[in-house]
Amino acid sequence: MNRSTIPICRCSQSDGAPLTKEEVFSLIAEAIREVLPELEGRPFQHSDSLDDLGANSMDRAEIVMMVLEGMDLEIPLVETYGPHNLGELAQHLSDKAGAKAG
């Protein structure tokens, strides 16, 4: 998969509901596998951190930017620095998408 194959999902589902935490988590996993192909086939847990998965600061920024692009969500990158693991990041971005959709 290359970056151009990550689908644009928008911030909400076709029925207008914001993307769920699990849907955002799936986008994060796709982006991780794109940026860190050595992790292809590895199952991700909500408790995994990008650091623990071997992502350096550039990788982390690219992963988050790819997810934001896939969600068609425009927020400052600095607003994504608080979460400590993938589950928290998925929840944070889902909440941001909900706020934008609402």
Side-chain angles (χ1 to χ4, degrees), residues 2 4 6 18 23 34 54 58 61 63-64 72 82 85 93-95:
N2 63 40
S4 63
I6 293 183
E23 291 168 324
E34 173 65 27
M58 294 297 290
I63 289 164
V64 170
D72 193 28
N85 58 49
L93 295 178
S94 176
D95 292 347

Side-chain angles (χ1 to χ4, degrees), residues 2-102:
N2 63 40
R3 185 174 179 173
S4 63
T5 62
I6 293 183
I8 300 293
C9 304
R10 308 290 180 225
C11 290
S12 60
Q13 302 171 17
S14 60
D15 64 1
L19 292 179
T20 66
K21 177 182 175 179
E22 291 306 315
E23 291 168 324
V24 177
F25 186 84
S26 293
L27 284 176
I28 293 168
E30 289 177 39
I32 291 170
R33 290 186 180 105
E34 173 65 27
V35 175
L36 302 170
E38 64 273 17
L39 298 178
E40 185 67 41
R42 182 196 190 282
F44 298 113
Q45 304 298 319
H46 287 259
S47 59
D48 290 335
S49 74
L50 290 172
D51 284 337
D52 292 342
L53 294 172
N56 62 35
S57 60
M58 294 297 290
D59 295 334
R60 290 190 304 271
E62 184 172 0
I63 289 164
V64 170
M65 290 182 347
M66 289 173 72
V67 173
L68 292 174
E69 182 179 300
M71 294 175 70
D72 193 28
L73 180 61
E74 293 183 25
I75 60 172
L77 200 54
V78 71
E79 289 186 22
T80 65
Y81 292 157
H84 295 98
N85 58 49
L86 302 183
E88 288 179 12
L89 179 60
Q91 184 65 59
H92 179 70
L93 295 178
S94 176
D95 292 347
K96 290 289 186 180
K100 181 178 177 183

